[in-house]
């Protein structure tokens, strides 16, 4: 068993050979475990090397050869293991036991017999380790094996805890602590002034330990008889016009406020109000958003005529007239739309109208529940809410009011952003025959809008740079929001 076979030697020598025609191997040497001083010469054809004197374990075999010119080759080393040779004993038996606590090997306990119990009474409560190893009859020790265990905290028998003393004090005044062996059922606060106060309590048990302090707050009311307070008045204003407020009286019987919105312009607004009591105090302001339709302010273009529409019935003021646009008529100057003035002074909701008055003057149209006149031949399309109007729509060509006449919306415009409360005129493309301008035929057959070059005075909703909100109202100082400028929707940030 204790031999390295010829195969190992042959493989090692093969790695050191020099395969040339001129040189030949004349000597072979080997040594064990790096001990070159004890190098041995090998026969030309070695078969084995004796290793009987080597101890069990890892060893090395180093080989080199010398050629016919006296040159030694590089050294080649190989490693091998000499296995442990079992003794002649028939079986192994445990002869000694050793153990130690918490890694203290210097305090190990050695016994020939396996211990039945181990004394741990001197150990402190907590986590500990127990390490053990054994030695057999050949004198070999086993590997160490460690296990962990916990010594629990020793419980002490104590008397059941109970509250033996109560203490309380008012408003953090520790100098006025009131002790009591029993829980107090009532606490006298008659000497306290009206206002906010605190009550702090703590208890002590039979072991002498005090609990945490617990504080609660309470209010002592004023015992003086107070006059009953009632709401007697109110004030209100619109939007941010706080200086322009109005007031009114409020009785407990009605409980309602009379809010006058007759002078609030059409559109979205905020109503602010607050109430006052009999003691002269006012409540915090409250608000609500609402949509006003009480009146519309309309500024007539400089040409004296423009379009209009609304979603409610409106009464015309003096000096402002309303007309239907009915049918297209050929006149000497070209094409014109025949208008018919309405009967009465009420404009019907959702009806496109032509309004005429003094150019540049603003008129106030007020809401009315009365329905106005209608005309099935009316061709004006109302624009109650801001909308894009295309140059063409199917078989129709669209016209907008500009400079006292209807002007074709050009293809390059694609569409015009028309503000709310205006109207536009759609005409059959075949009927309009490509006319760029459509004049107006009035009730007395007078024709306007077709004489000379078009005026550079557009209706305020179109292309003069005037700024309007989406409700069609002129805006002199715009803030952030969406507006209509030159017929286009513009976002101001």
């Amino acid at each position: 068993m204790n031999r390295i076979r010829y195969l190992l030697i042959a493989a090692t020598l093969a790695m050191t050979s020099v395969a040339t025609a001129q040189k030949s191997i004349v000597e072979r040497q080997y040594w064990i475990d790096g001990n070159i001083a004890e190098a041995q010469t090998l026969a030309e054809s070695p078969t084995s090397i004796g290793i009987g004197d080597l101890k069990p374990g890892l060893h090395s075999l180093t080989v080199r050869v010398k050629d016919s010119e006296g040159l030694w080759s590089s050294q080649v080393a190989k490693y091998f293991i000499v296995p442990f040779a079992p003794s002649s004993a028939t079986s192994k038996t445990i002869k000694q036991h050793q153990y130690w606590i918490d890694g203290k090997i210097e305090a190990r306990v050695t016994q020939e017999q396996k211990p039945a119990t181990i004394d741990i009474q001197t150990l402190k409560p907590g986590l500990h380790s127990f390490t053990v190893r054994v030695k057999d009859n050949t004198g070999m020790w086993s590997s160490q094996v460690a296990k962990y265990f916990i010594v629990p905290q020793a419980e002490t028998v104590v008397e059941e805890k109970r509250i033996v003393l109560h203490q309380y004090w008012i408003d953090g005044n520790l100098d006025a602590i009131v002790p009591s062996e029993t829980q107090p059922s009532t606490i006298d606060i008659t000497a306290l002034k009206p206002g906010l106060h605190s009550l702090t309590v703590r208890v002590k048990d039979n072991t002498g330990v005090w609990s945490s302090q617990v504080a609660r707050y309470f209010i002592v009311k004023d015992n003086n008889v107070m006059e009953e307070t009632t709401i007697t008045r109110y004030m209100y204003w619109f939007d941010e016009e706080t200086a322009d407020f109005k007031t009114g009286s409020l009785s407990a019987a009605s409980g309602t406020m009379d809010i006058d919105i007759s002078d609030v312009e059409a559109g979205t607004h905020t109503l602010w109000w607050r109430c006052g009591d009999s003691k002269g105090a006012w409540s915090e302001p409250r608000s609500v958003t609402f949509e006003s339709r009480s009146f519309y302010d309309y500024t007539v273009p400089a040409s004296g005529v423009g379009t209009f529409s609304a979603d409610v019935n409106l009464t015309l003021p003096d000096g402002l007239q309303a007309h239907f646009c009915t049918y297209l008529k050929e006149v000497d100057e070209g094409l014109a739309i025949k208008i018919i003035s309405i009967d009465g002074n009420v404009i019907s909701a959702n009806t496109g109208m032509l309004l005429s008055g003094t150019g540049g003057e603003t008129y106030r149209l007020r809401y009315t529940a009365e329905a106005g006149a209608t005309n099935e031949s009316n061709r004006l399309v109302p624009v109650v809410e801001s909308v894009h109007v295309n140059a063409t729509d199917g078989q129709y060509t669209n016209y907008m009011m500009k400079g006292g006449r209807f002007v074709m919306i050009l293809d390059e415009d694609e569409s015009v952003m028309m503000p709310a409360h205006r109207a536009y005129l759609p005409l059959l493309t075949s009927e309009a025959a490509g006319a760029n301008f459509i004049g107006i035929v009035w009730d007395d057959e007078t024709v306007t809008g077709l004489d000379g070059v078009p005026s550079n005075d557009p209706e305020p909703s179109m292309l003069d740079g005037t700024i309007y909100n989406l409700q069609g109202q002129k805006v002199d100082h715009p803030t952030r929001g969406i507006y209509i400028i030159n017929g286009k929707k513009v976002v101001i940030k």
Side-chain angles (χ1 to χ4, degrees):
M1 288 180 62
N2 299 330
R3 311 292 288 180
I4 295 180
R5 297 303 178 188
Y6 173 77
L7 180 60
L8 174 61
I9 300 302
T12 304
L13 292 177
M15 296 177 63
T16 60
S17 299
V18 181
T20 61
Q22 292 79 12
K23 299 178 182 180
S24 60
I25 296 174
V26 297
E27 187 177 352
R28 301 167 178 80
Q29 281 187 346
Y30 76 92
W31 56 92
I32 303 295
D33 295 336
N35 189 4
I36 193 172
E38 296 183 4
Q40 302 291 323
T41 301
L42 282 168
E44 184 174 353
S45 299
T47 57
S48 61
I49 296 174
I51 58 172
D53 296 332
L54 298 180
K55 294 181 178 180
L58 182 66
H59 298 273
S60 66
L61 169 67
T62 306
V63 177
R64 66 175 180 176
V65 297
K66 185 169 67 176
D67 62 18
S68 55
E69 294 183 358
L71 297 175
W72 286 101
S73 69
S74 300
Q75 300 174 10
V76 176
K78 294 294 181 180
Y79 294 88
F80 62 95
I81 295 176
V82 174
F84 177 80
S87 65
S88 58
T90 56
S91 62
K92 294 181 180 180
T93 57
I94 296 175
K95 292 296 185 181
Q96 279 188 345
H97 301 77
Q98 275 188 355
Y99 69 87
W100 54 94
I101 305 294
D102 295 335
K104 297 178 181 180
I105 193 171
E106 67 278 4
R108 59 187 177 274
V109 178
T110 303
Q111 297 179 350
E112 292 186 359
Q113 301 296 325
K114 181 168 71 172
T117 58
I118 296 175
D119 184 12
I120 58 172
Q121 292 184 358
T122 59
L123 298 181
K124 294 181 179 180
L127 182 66
H128 298 272
S129 66
F130 174 74
T131 307
V132 64
R133 66 176 180 176
V134 295
K135 186 169 70 173
D136 63 17
N137 54 339
T138 67
M140 297 293 294
W141 283 102
S142 69
S143 300
Q144 302 173 11
V145 176
K147 298 293 182 182
Y148 294 88
F149 63 97
I150 294 176
V151 175
Q153 181 74 40
E155 295 185 0
T156 57
V157 179
V158 296
E159 181 183 357
E160 182 180 0
K161 293 182 181 180
R162 66 183 185 280
I163 296 175
V164 296
L165 186 62
H166 300 76
Q167 282 185 347
Y168 71 86
W169 55 94
I170 305 293
D171 294 337
N173 187 4
L174 292 171
D175 295 330
I177 292 178
V178 179
S180 175
E181 292 184 359
T182 60
Q183 180 177 341
S185 58
T186 59
I187 297 174
D188 183 11
I189 60 172
T190 55
L192 298 181
K193 294 181 179 180
L196 182 66
H197 298 272
S198 67
L199 169 68
T200 306
V201 299
R202 67 174 181 173
V203 296
K204 185 172 71 172
D205 64 19
N206 56 331
T207 66
V209 177
W210 284 100
S211 69
S212 299
Q213 301 174 11
V214 177
R216 291 290 184 268
Y217 294 88
F218 63 96
I219 294 176
V220 175
K221 295 182 179 180
D222 191 349
N223 292 326
N224 296 327
V225 178
M226 298 180 62
E227 178 186 349
E228 183 180 359
T229 301
T230 58
I231 297 175
T232 59
R233 53 186 174 161
Y234 65 92
M235 66 165 55
Y236 67 92
W237 61 93
F238 299 100
D239 302 322
E240 302 301 326
E241 302 297 330
T242 55
D244 190 21
F245 65 87
K246 298 179 181 180
T247 60
S249 298
L250 194 64
S251 65
S254 64
T256 58
M257 295 184 293
D258 185 13
I259 306 296
D260 181 11
I261 63 171
S262 60
D263 291 329
V264 179
E265 188 176 1
T268 302
H269 298 274
T270 301
L271 168 65
W272 292 88
W273 79 91
R274 61 177 182 170
C275 298
D277 62 21
S278 55
K279 301 290 287 183
W282 286 98
S283 68
E284 291 294 324
R286 302 291 297 274
S287 67
V288 63
T289 301
F290 69 99
E291 190 75 19
S292 172
R293 299 180 180 179
S294 58
F295 72 86
Y296 289 87
D297 281 337
Y298 180 76
T299 301
V300 178
S303 61
V305 62
T307 61
F308 181 78
S309 64
D311 57 353
V312 293
N313 300 328
L314 296 171
T315 301
L316 292 170
D318 292 339
L320 187 65
Q321 294 182 316
H323 318 272
F324 297 114
C325 292
T326 57
Y327 59 91
L328 200 60
K329 183 176 182 180
E330 285 192 27
V331 296
D332 293 339
E333 298 86 347
L335 293 177
I337 192 76
K338 175 63 177 176
I339 70 167
I340 298 176
S341 299
I342 68 169
D343 294 329
N345 65 341
V346 177
I347 296 177
S348 295
N350 302 307
T351 303
M353 302 298 297
L354 198 68
L355 298 184
S356 61
T358 302
E361 185 170 340
T362 299
Y363 296 86
R364 177 159 293 184
L365 293 79
R366 292 192 176 276
Y367 168 79
T368 179
E370 180 184 352
T374 60
N375 191 313
E376 294 182 357
S377 299
N378 185 30
R379 295 198 180 187
L380 285 178
V381 175
V383 179
V384 176
E385 295 182 358
S386 180
V387 67
H388 283 281
V389 178
N390 296 322
T392 59
D393 185 7
Q395 58 183 336
Y396 289 91
T397 298
N398 294 322
Y399 291 78
M400 62 185 181
M401 175 57 66
K402 179 179 179 182
R405 70 185 72 196
F406 287 100
V407 180
M408 180 192 297
I409 299 176
L410 301 179
D411 290 338
E412 56 265 25
D413 291 336
E414 294 184 357
S415 66
V416 169
M417 188 66 188
M418 187 167 292
H421 312 307
R422 298 293 185 267
Y424 66 94
L425 178 65
L427 296 175
L428 286 170
T429 302
S430 59
E431 183 183 20
N436 291 326
F437 310 106
I438 303 296
I440 299 172
V441 180
W442 297 91
D443 291 331
D444 59 0
E445 298 301 320
T446 300
V447 178
T448 61
L450 294 178
D451 50 337
V453 180
S455 169
N456 192 28
D457 177 29
E459 184 179 3
S461 62
M462 296 299 109
L463 309 175
D464 63 348
T466 304
I467 302 174
Y468 292 86
N469 60 25
L470 295 182
Q471 286 73 45
Q473 301 160 340
K474 183 179 178 181
V475 179
D476 294 325
H477 304 288
T479 58
R480 292 187 298 178
I482 302 176
Y483 298 90
I484 299 173
I485 305 175
N486 290 333
K488 301 295 183 181
K489 186 181 288 186
V490 176
V491 178
I492 297 179
K493 299 182 178 179

